[in-house]
Amino acid sequence: MTRFFRTIKPFFYLLPSLVILGLFAYYPAFSVFRLSLFKWEFISPKMEFVGFDQFVRLFGDDRFWNSLWVTAKYTVGVTAVSLFLGLILAVLLNQKKHIPGRSVWRSIYFLPSVTPTVAIAMVWMLIFNPGFGIVNIALRKLGLEGLNWLADMRWALFCVMLLGIWRRMGFNFLNYLAALQNVSESLYESAEIDGANGFEKFLYITLPMVKPTTIMLLILGVIDSFMVIDQILILTGGGPGGSTEVIGQFMYTTAFRLAKLGYGSAISVVMFLIIMIFTVFQWRFVGFGTAEE
């Protein structure tokens, strides 16, 4: 009996966390999967079981494919550029030589990551305002005609992506900086003795040493991009013409504005499966998290 209690004792310590996760994470997730099999208009108390019919309908929905394509463009642009800029900034601020105000620059670059998205989006609307926005004022100073950036189908997504890049860059920068500070200086000294220049040291030492961090940030960036919604709602509302409607907003609009919770749940399930497949692909083919890493 004593051995039995010794075996189950750790689970008693885990019980509070398991209860909280069960109530606020696992049960809601299970409910979404279950709800995706029902047609429920929310205002009606009746839930009609339809099986996988809503998924069939979803894959034939042009709006779904458009939102997926917009999300893919947003994900590739924001994730790739923010990773690149974050790494470059981290390398520059990780130099051995003294950089004036290094701590201040680190705080400035990380600040967008902890600033509320609503506040940033409101500032972004002022920056790209067609009448008094700083971008159009600068263009007029150069003799060029300004645009209604957030209402132009060619430029609206680009403006939204700039905000996403600015917000993600600081988070990537801080993680890369922590990774670089764990790289042994002896590696760079040995490469310098062998005649390697700065670019070669970056290519053959820095990049391989921060590979696990890069993969982690890549996965987090993709997940964050698929979950983006607040800045889209504030800046463009998905317009003009659906050019900025990402899949997260499509799900939100369907479930809560059109009150189609069953159909919205089906969209959520597809989002989850896409992110899961991407993450498993990264782990399987890149090798992140293996014993070799």
Side-chain angles (χ1 to χ4, degrees):
M1 186 64 70
T2 304
R3 184 176 181 182
F4 172 74
F5 280 114
R6 192 183 306 119
T7 303
I8 67 172
K9 185 178 179 180
F11 294 97
F12 284 104
Y13 293 107
L14 293 173
L15 189 60
S17 298
L18 292 176
V19 171
I20 293 174
L21 286 172
L23 288 175
F24 298 104
Y26 301 139
Y27 176 72
F30 171 78
S31 297
V32 168
F33 277 90
R34 184 181 65 86
L35 191 57
S36 67
L37 304 176
F38 289 84
K39 182 180 180 181
W40 186 27
E41 303 298 337
F42 187 60
I43 57 175
S44 172
K46 183 180 179 180
M47 296 173 60
E48 179 186 352
F49 180 78
V50 293
F52 293 99
D53 288 354
Q54 294 192 121
F55 292 95
V56 175
R57 174 189 168 194
L58 181 63
F59 288 118
D61 191 339
D62 291 338
R63 189 178 172 187
F64 165 73
W65 290 109
N66 174 73
S67 68
L68 199 59
W69 173 239
V70 172
T71 305
K73 291 190 290 185
Y74 179 92
T75 300
V76 172
V78 171
T79 304
V81 176
S82 63
L83 281 174
F84 174 76
L85 293 178
L87 178 58
I88 297 301
L89 288 173
V91 170
L92 292 175
L93 288 177
N94 193 51
Q95 301 295 320
K96 290 185 294 184
K97 57 185 180 182
H98 177 69
I99 299 176
R102 178 181 298 186
S103 299
V104 176
W105 287 112
R106 290 175 179 176
S107 301
I108 290 174
Y109 288 130
F110 185 66
L111 185 62
S113 300
V114 296
T115 304
T117 307
V118 175
I120 297 177
M122 295 300 293
V123 172
W124 226 248
M125 291 179 67
L126 296 176
I127 292 175
F128 288 100
N129 185 280
F132 53 82
I134 189 172
V135 174
N136 278 357
I137 291 176
L139 290 175
R140 286 194 287 268
K141 291 288 185 181
L142 296 174
L144 302 173
E145 184 179 353
L147 298 172
N148 189 355
W149 296 92
L150 297 175
D152 192 311
M153 292 187 66
R154 298 169 299 173
W155 293 101
L157 183 60
F158 173 76
C159 296
V160 174
M161 289 170 63
L162 284 179
L163 189 151
I165 292 169
W166 187 58
R167 289 194 70 243
R168 291 291 304 176
M169 182 179 66
F171 178 78
N172 294 340
F173 154 74
L174 201 65
N175 280 275
Y176 273 130
L177 189 61
L180 288 172
Q181 289 177 349
N182 287 323
V183 179
S184 175
E185 285 294 330
S186 62
L187 295 174
Y188 294 105
E189 293 170 358
S190 299
E192 193 170 343
I193 293 172
D194 291 337
N197 56 36
F199 178 75
E200 289 172 334
K201 287 188 285 186
F202 174 79
L203 187 63
Y204 296 111
I205 298 177
T206 302
L207 286 182
M209 294 301 292
V210 300
K211 177 184 172 183
T213 302
T214 300
I215 298 171
M216 179 197 71
L217 293 175
L218 177 62
I219 294 173
L220 292 177
V222 171
I223 294 173
D224 181 74
S225 297
F226 267 81
M227 295 176 64
V228 67
I229 178 174
D230 41 6
Q231 64 196 52
I232 303 290
L233 287 173
I234 296 170
L235 290 175
T236 63
S243 60
T244 61
E245 185 179 52
V246 292
I247 192 170
Q249 189 196 348
F250 177 40
M251 179 273 296
Y252 171 82
T253 303
T254 302
F256 299 105
R257 289 190 175 178
L258 301 180
K260 298 180 179 179
L261 286 184
Y263 195 47
S265 297
I267 300 171
S268 298
V269 171
V270 172
M271 290 173 59
F272 167 78
L273 293 175
I274 292 173
I275 295 173
M276 184 186 71
I277 291 171
F278 176 83
T279 305
V280 171
F281 177 84
Q282 289 290 328
W283 285 345
R284 174 65 180 83
F285 292 98
V286 183
F288 179 65
T290 61
E292 289 78 6
E293 286 289 340

